[in-house]
Amino acid sequence: MAWAANEITMSKKDNLSAVERIKTASEGLRGTLKESLRDAVTGAIREDDQSLVKFHGMYQQDDRDRREERSQKKLEWLYFFMIRLRIPGGFLKPEQWIDLHHIAGEHSTGVIKITTRQTVQLHGILKSHIKPTIKAFNISHLDSIAACGDVNRNVLCSAHPAQSAIHEEIFRYADKISTLALPKSRAYYEVWLDEEPLADKQEDDPLYQDRYLPRKFKIAIAIPPDNDIDVFTNDIGLIAIIENNELKGFNIAAGGGLSTTHGNAATYARLGTVLGFVNSEEKVLKAVYEIMTIQRDHGNRSDRKLARLKYTIDRMGVNVFKEELEKRCGFELENTRPYRFTERKDYYGWQQNHEGKWYYTLFVENGRVLDEKGLPLKTALLEVAKTGKANFRFTGNQNVILSDIAETDKPVIEAILSKFGISDHTNNTGILRKNSMACVAFNTCPLALAEGQRYLPSLISKIEPLLEKYTLQDEPITLRMTGCPNGCARPYAAEIGLVGTAYGQYNLHIGGDRLGERLNTKFKENLDEEQILQTLEELFAVYSRERKGDETFGDFSNKKWIHNTVI
Ligand code: SRM
Ligand code: SF4
């Protein structure tokens, strides 16, 4: 069988990528992290530890804006760390938000960055501040274990409790799956929290063994009709099947992933393939676990560009993959159950659930919570948290839902939102901006080729008048930008995707659908701002003239310009 022959090549011992050696030699992700931390001569950590520290939820970064100046002065680059928390389903209690607020102020740039995977990152943490930061988080019952690295990352779940009477029940699966897929190593507690080291530093880890997965791994749970978490862009996407307000089980999709590499034709974005349905908690957890073991055993460990599950599945073939899964599970998947997504957006403003609790979704541009002139968002959220009357839920669209608010407490929260201009800001922001996302990119992301979150807001201000010109300003078009083709803001799953190729230049992708069920296609390459605006204006003009009824921009573009099928 072709697949089996390939496997031998993929697992060839002498062909392993450098990261594979670092993982197996790391004594359960410990490496020389303790020594690296003690070295006061440099703000960086040792090279091998830079790979390992990711498994602890941290990245070594530097201020890219200051590289040249530092090099000229013969100074080391300005190294610091980004810490990403593990928050399954993106839920924090108000006390935890207060702690996060203070930890951010004391140890990082102060900006609380909500990510596209329902968690938060803090940037600019100096090496000497990492342990105090992790210790402070630990007191708040928060950790960053496995928020990065070749393991399962933060598990997403549809964010909007008001959308389903059994949201809470399904939401709990995010935590169950996250716990199931946590590495067994105690390294995090030893290195950052001074736990007494184990005599035997290699804990038994049946899932990850000593080699972990070949690459990062992502899982999300969608609760139809919402696909707010972009379920098909994940390695595993679970779609909750609800009948008569009862959870019947989950459809399981596998093999989603978005990253591509410019100039590497072997890389591609892929939406997950729905494999079938399982009808119990035991079965869904087993299936998730065994999909991970298949990826562990058969993923590409030589070329990290081709190591995600999407490539493993395509190499094996979906049918062979499914057979292998069923063999490992010891049960067959049932036929996929019907489901329908009708929304992917966040429901801004107030919503009430079946129990009468209130939810306020507020717009956080590109997930950046900070105090800006005229918009003291960070202060406002602290005030909300101090009331103790609202929980915090992050959405996969980088926004915040103030949640579980009692009817009697609503006026208090409303007054704070109004006092600090938050409700006005959410109400008055244009629809395009509210349906947009950009990744971090400069100045911290080492992989950025072009700007992301620092640039998109001003570009949107220039696109908005074009929409108005063609009376499209109320059209909820999704626009997503990334500073490189890795796809952190999921630009390939948007109606308009802008993917950085060089400083000030982007590929323009169009034709994705509004619900995240069809990827877009590259339409033009290396456009600068003037060319982006000119091209979009041309597209908007034709769309406003020729679209049929309420046809979305993505559907129209796909037919007209990608497949040339509009008559
Ligand atoms: Fe991402 C790497 C930021 C969601 C695909 N991503 C990075 C790094 C850590 C750069 C690095 O490796 O050194 C970025 C840190 C920037 C910074 O300074 O903070 C980074 N990714 C982000 C975040 C913060 C973007 C945001 O603005 O919200 C998101 C954090 C999510 C989280 O909380 O876990 C983020 N990254 C994504 C997504 C979207 C998703 O998962 O829904 C993707 C595309 C989906 C996918 O994985 O296929 C994504 N990030 C990548 C990749 C490409 C992976 C691959 O398959 O090749 C990289 C590069 C890598 O892993 O080598 C990457
Ligand atoms: Fe960095 Fe690229 Fe991800 Fe943007 S898409 S955060 S530039 S890795």
Side-chain angles (χ1 to χ4, degrees), residues 111 116 119 135 157 159 164 170 201 241 400 449 504 506 519 533:
V111 177
T116 52
T119 183
K135 284 183 176 165
C157 178
S164 168
I170 301 168
K201 289 183 180 168
I241 301 298
V400 175
L449 305 170
Y506 298 84
L519 293 174
L533 295 172

Side-chain angles (χ1 to χ4, degrees), residues 20-77:
E20 291 301 320
R21 178 191 54 75
I22 295 170
K23 286 185 281 189
T24 44
S26 71
E27 297 188 309
L29 305 175
R30 290 166 178 87
T32 53
L33 278 165
K34 282 188 176 174
E35 290 81 352
S36 270
L37 276 184
R38 275 199 297 268
D39 184 353
V41 175
T42 168
I45 57 175
R46 295 177 188 179
E47 209 175 318
D48 285 4
D49 291 336
Q50 289 171 30
S51 293
L52 293 178
V53 81
K54 295 181 186 176
F55 291 77
H56 300 255
M58 302 162 205
Y59 287 85
Q60 180 178 305
Q61 303 183 320
D62 73 286
D63 185 344
R64 293 188 62 184
D65 289 344
R66 298 187 59 189
R67 273 187 190 175
E68 211 176 299
E69 169 211 324
R70 307 268 306 180
S71 297
Q72 271 170 8
K73 290 184 183 158
K74 306 238 175 321
L75 290 171
E76 179 178 87
W77 284 352

Side-chain angles (χ1 to χ4, degrees), residues 370-542:
L370 70 163
D371 283 345
E372 286 178 298
K373 206 162 164 262
L375 190 69
L377 178 59
K378 199 174 161 201
T379 302
L381 291 182
L382 181 65
E383 291 302 310
V384 169
K386 279 184 187 164
T387 67
K389 295 178 189 308
N391 293 317
F392 287 66
R393 291 173 193 267
F394 308 122
T395 79
N397 294 316
Q398 303 171 321
N399 293 308
V400 175
I401 305 175
L402 301 174
S403 76
D404 315 292
I405 301 165
E407 175 88 39
T408 44
D409 296 333
K410 187 174 171 236
V412 180
I413 306 297
E414 224 161 15
I416 296 171
L417 295 175
S418 165
K419 176 178 161 197
F420 291 99
I422 307 304
S423 30
D424 277 353
H425 174 68
T426 296
N427 290 341
N428 299 336
T429 299
I431 287 186
L432 180 71
R433 201 179 293 274
K434 279 191 197 160
N435 282 309
S436 75
M437 290 202 284
C439 72
V440 179
F442 285 96
N443 62 325
T444 52
C445 178
L447 308 176
L449 305 170
E451 293 282 359
Q453 65 187 15
R454 296 203 297 198
Y455 171 53
L456 186 62
S458 67
L459 182 69
I460 289 180
S461 299
K462 293 173 186 166
I463 298 174
E464 281 172 338
L466 303 179
L467 290 168
E468 271 174 44
K469 186 169 169 187
Y470 298 100
T471 37
L472 294 172
Q473 67 277 11
D474 295 329
E475 214 23 62
I477 297 171
T478 51
L479 165 63
R480 295 174 178 181
M481 169 183 275
T482 54
C484 87
N486 281 322
C488 298
R490 301 190 287 272
Y492 309 109
E495 293 177 273
I496 302 174
L498 289 166
V499 177
T501 54
Y503 205 80
Q505 291 191 345
Y506 298 84
N507 287 345
L508 170 64
H509 293 241
I510 55 171
D513 73 328
R514 195 157 283 170
L515 301 172
E517 296 182 300
R518 182 183 65 239
L519 293 174
N520 55 27
T521 304
K522 187 163 66 187
F523 180 59
K524 294 222 165 156
E525 287 187 338
N526 300 320
L527 304 186
D528 61 18
E529 180 176 288
E530 204 183 319
Q531 293 165 318
I532 292 170
L533 295 172
Q534 192 188 333
T535 311
L536 286 180
E537 172 154 17
E538 285 163 14
L539 302 184
F540 292 157
V542 178

Side-chain angles (χ1 to χ4, degrees), residues 6-19:
N6 263 341
E7 286 317 293
I8 295 165
T9 325
M10 292 307 160
S11 60
K12 243 186 175 176
K13 278 250 176 319
D14 54 1
N15 201 18
L16 295 178
S17 74
V19 180

Side-chain angles (χ1 to χ4, degrees), residues 99-112 122 378:
D99 291 344
L100 173 62
H101 177 105
H102 293 307
I103 295 167
E106 207 168 318
H107 299 293
S108 78
T109 60
V111 177
I112 299 172
L122 300 183
K378 199 174 161 201

Side-chain angles (χ1 to χ4, degrees), residues 287-300:
V288 164
Y289 187 91
E290 295 301 352
I291 290 174
M292 293 178 76
T293 67
I294 300 177
Q295 166 66 350
R296 178 197 65 204
D297 298 342
H298 299 295
N300 184 333

